[in-house]
Amino acid sequence: YIMSSTDTLQSLGWRQFFQAQVDIESDWTPARVLRVHRNAIEVMHVDGATTVPLAGKSAALRITVGDWVLIDQAGPKVCARLERFGLFQRKAAGTSGAIQLLAANVDTLFIVTSANRDFNIARLERYLAIAHDASAFPVIVITKADTVESVDEYMAAAAKLSPGIVVEALDARCAENVEVLRPWCETGQTVALLGSSGVGKSTLINTLAGIELETQAAREDDQRGRHTTTGRSMYRLNHGGWLIDKPGMRELQLVDVGDVLDEVFREVADLAAQCRFVDCSHESEPGCAVQSAIESGKLDADRLRRYRKLQSEDRRNTETLAERRARDKSFGKMVRTVMSDKRKEKGG
């Protein structure tokens, strides 16, 4: 990446939020993280691009793409990581309970789906929760609009997810179509893409950023694609903004997003507040406003089911490993007690 004479910190996404964290007398240089490697990061600052090693204290800062760091160019070395205004994260694979950082300081999240069998309301709800949790403005982008006679059904279904939600349908290969996304791609803005494999994220990036990422056609048998992006990187957009690309993730588990689920499922949360009992489970309690809305047709029962499913997943993933082991141990003890009692009854 080559900085032009007109580039400033603001063009990289710098704002007052970050400036307030910096000592004006400091000699350290603010820099935006473009890529993260195992033992080094690639950053951009007003003097250009630099690769900075991660060692010692800097290795423990848990730096991710989109972060702002302060570096000593003489080293070069990372001296500090600035507080983020937003963070995308997920539970890492396996049973360790570790949290994987995906991207930081993103202004807008393009939630990418496609006008075919990949279109999935439950997945869109999940991605909306992730966007809210990361303080990113969500825009639902429906690709492959050129492959169907009408996208009205897809757009209507997506629009029902939240009042005022922005939904755009387009052919990701067409620069004229993609122009509708320009308001979120101007200088100083940072956007990220999230969506499952094969929905056209790499094609959309190629059009937005004028670069050539590898793309692979969706499989004919199920219209699902193969993973093409293998790492997280920031790319300069044609209109001056920045785009963070993330590998396609079929299953992105929620972590510590309980508060924002009420935002995604606002109509359910508002109804729940009207229930007679504060601890209403919305199943068979008298005076349950949620069940009344379902019975009258004002609320879709599947919407409540998906809300509960995400709440359960969030609670499970947010538990610390120690809490989970204690819970499992307690449950195991209870099972053994019950089985022991049954054996005694049979023996008696």
Side-chain angles (χ1 to χ4, degrees):
Y1 301 94
I2 300 175
M3 299 285 282
S4 71
S5 59
T6 59
D7 275 320
T8 62
L9 282 177
Q10 284 69 32
S11 70
L12 291 171
W14 187 259
R15 59 190 63 185
Q16 183 58 37
F17 175 82
F18 302 115
Q19 184 62 54
Q21 302 177 49
V22 179
D23 185 343
I24 58 174
E25 297 181 359
S26 173
D27 292 329
W28 295 343
T29 301
R32 191 86 189 267
V33 178
L34 304 184
R35 285 195 180 97
V36 178
H37 305 287
R38 183 179 298 274
N39 298 311
I41 56 175
E42 295 179 37
V43 303
M44 176 72 81
H45 48 78
V46 292
D47 296 321
T50 307
T51 298
V52 185
L54 291 177
K57 293 182 179 179
S58 64
L61 294 176
R62 301 203 69 201
I63 295 170
T64 190
V65 173
D67 266 329
W68 279 95
V69 295
L70 301 179
I71 64 173
D72 180 352
Q73 293 197 59
K77 66 177 182 179
V78 177
C79 302
R81 175 184 58 76
L82 300 184
E83 181 184 346
R84 307 152 174 139
F85 68 73
L87 176 67
F88 287 96
Q89 58 185 357
R90 69 171 179 178
K91 177 178 174 291
T95 59
S96 66
I99 302 301
Q100 179 185 8
L101 308 186
L102 300 177
N105 304 315
V106 174
D107 298 295
T108 304
L109 180 69
F110 291 151
I111 298 173
V112 187
T113 184
S114 52
N116 55 25
R117 275 180 281 174
D118 177 83
F119 188 88
N120 184 295
I121 287 296
R123 186 185 299 131
L124 293 180
E125 289 169 337
R126 177 187 299 271
Y127 289 167
L128 282 172
I130 292 166
H132 284 292
D133 184 56
S135 300
F137 181 76
V139 176
I140 297 178
V141 180
I142 304 174
T143 61
K144 305 186 181 181
D146 56 302
T147 65
V148 294
E149 291 186 7
S150 173
V151 295
D152 292 348
E153 180 181 351
Y154 296 102
M155 293 190 71
K160 288 181 181 179
L161 292 176
S162 178
I165 185 73
V166 177
V167 183
E168 301 288 357
L170 47 81
D171 174 359
R173 301 168 300 176
C174 177
E176 185 176 349
N177 277 196
V178 174
E179 190 69 12
V180 297
L181 302 179
R182 180 170 179 170
W184 299 282
C185 301
E186 301 285 359
T187 299
Q189 293 291 303
T190 301
V191 301
L193 274 71
L194 190 58
S196 58
S197 301
V199 297
K201 296 191 304 300
S202 292
T203 302
L204 184 58
I205 291 171
N206 291 345
T207 307
L208 283 170
I211 59 176
E212 288 299 323
L213 294 183
E214 179 187 0
T215 60
Q216 295 185 19
R219 297 193 297 264
E220 291 295 332
D221 57 345
D222 62 1
Q223 293 187 304
R224 296 188 182 277
R226 302 173 176 86
H227 293 285
T228 55
T229 306
T230 57
R232 287 178 287 279
S233 301
M234 282 185 66
Y235 300 97
R236 175 91 71 167
L237 296 172
N238 291 335
H239 299 301
W242 291 88
L243 181 144
I244 297 178
D245 182 36
K246 294 188 287 296
M249 290 173 283
R250 291 279 176 93
E251 294 296 331
L252 192 63
Q253 297 188 41
L254 303 182
V255 180
D256 197 20
V257 298
D259 292 341
V260 301
L261 284 178
D262 286 350
E263 292 296 324
V264 177
F265 295 85
R266 171 51 54 193
E267 79 282 22
V268 182
D270 287 345
L271 286 167
Q274 302 171 29
C275 291
R276 180 185 302 178
F277 302 108
V278 176
D279 59 349
C280 184
S281 65
H282 317 307
E283 293 181 353
S284 58
E285 294 91 339
C288 176
V290 175
Q291 284 299 326
S292 294
I294 291 175
E295 291 170 5
S296 66
K298 293 181 179 179
L299 178 66
D300 184 355
D302 285 340
R303 179 84 161 154
L304 174 63
R305 177 184 56 77
R306 295 193 301 267
Y307 179 46
R308 285 172 165 166
K309 182 179 179 180
L310 292 181
Q311 282 182 317
S312 176
E313 176 185 319
D314 178 65
R315 284 193 297 267
R316 184 174 63 253
N317 289 338
T318 305
E319 281 186 325
T320 65
L321 185 59
E323 289 173 335
R324 189 171 302 153
R325 285 173 174 168
R327 183 197 63 189
D328 293 344
K329 184 177 180 180
S330 177
F331 179 74
K333 183 178 180 180
M334 181 190 71
V335 170
R336 288 192 296 272
T337 300
V338 171
M339 295 302 293
S340 177
D341 291 343
K342 285 185 176 181
R343 285 194 294 268
K344 289 178 180 177
E345 289 176 2
K346 288 182 179 180

